[in-house]
Amino acid sequence: MIEGTLHQCGRIVRHFVATRALEVLALQASPILGIFLGGYRIERDGIVAPGLLAAGSCALTAHIFIFNDWAGYESDLRDPLRAPQVFSRQGISRREVAGTAIALLVLAVLAFALVGPTALLFGAAIAVLGFVYSGSPVLGKSTPVAASLNHLLGGTLHFLLGYTLFHALDANGIGIGLFFGLVFAAGHLNQEVRDYDGDLSNGIRTNAVAFGRRRAFLASLSAFTAAYAMLGVLAAFGILPRLLLWSPLAWLLHLAWSLQALRRGLSFDTAVWMQRRYRWLFALIGLVMLAG
């Protein structure tokens, strides 16, 4: 019996590592940058608190993704692109997925509680946004605009989770957090363009379904443009490295890719093509932030 339980746990872990690990790890860039931009110094602050915060953030992000998989189980089965990766195809039940999501949330709460009340507060707020997005019929993923506002706020809070570890919440932190929130919301709009066919067939009224792929893609570009503008303003005021005053050049590159994507046609493959490029671009921007 114990052997069978361990085997099933291993199956669950392998499945979600294969389907979600890269996304979970990529989203840790925001709070990690927040820790460093909030003034972290290893010789002064050690590694225990940052390690606990990073572990809690990973567990919380994984919880949100897995809860979303649990909540969207039936619609995912009807989506030809998502169906092959649905957990039931690997012999995993919805009950086991719910248990995994709860366990990850408990681990996140414990880690944040050990870090301190501010981390616990921001973590709880992010968890609530995850519940609303995946589970609410009124303010969730099927509600245009509201879903984007959810990602804007969630992306901002995720940065502030790291920033406030060694720094008081202030206007500078909120300004940088809004940059990350805009990037997160813009990226999700591009994801809605990617998932348009499956969401349309399932009656999930995302921005792309409600307003059309082209308008959602242009809204994504507008949100990215606002993020680049904020980046320039933050650099001009010395809040971020002066090297980021060159961010309009990054925006021009992003614009060129967007125009190319429009010419290619806004298919699933085009949205993935676009996603890969802007992710590398923002990874470079993140490195400049760290170097500064």
Side-chain angles (χ1 to χ4, degrees), residues 38 46 50 116 126 132 162 186 198 219 246 260 291:
I126 295 167
V132 169
W246 293 93
Q260 188 175 350

Side-chain angles (χ1 to χ4, degrees), residues 37 159 172 175-176 179-180 230-245 285 288-290 292:
L37 293 174
F159 170 81
N172 290 353
I176 304 171
F179 161 76
F180 282 97
M230 179 160 282
L231 198 62
V233 170
L234 292 168
F237 281 94
I239 298 169
L240 288 176
R242 294 282 182 178
L243 187 58
L244 290 172
L245 287 170
I285 289 172
V288 173
M289 289 182 182
L290 282 178

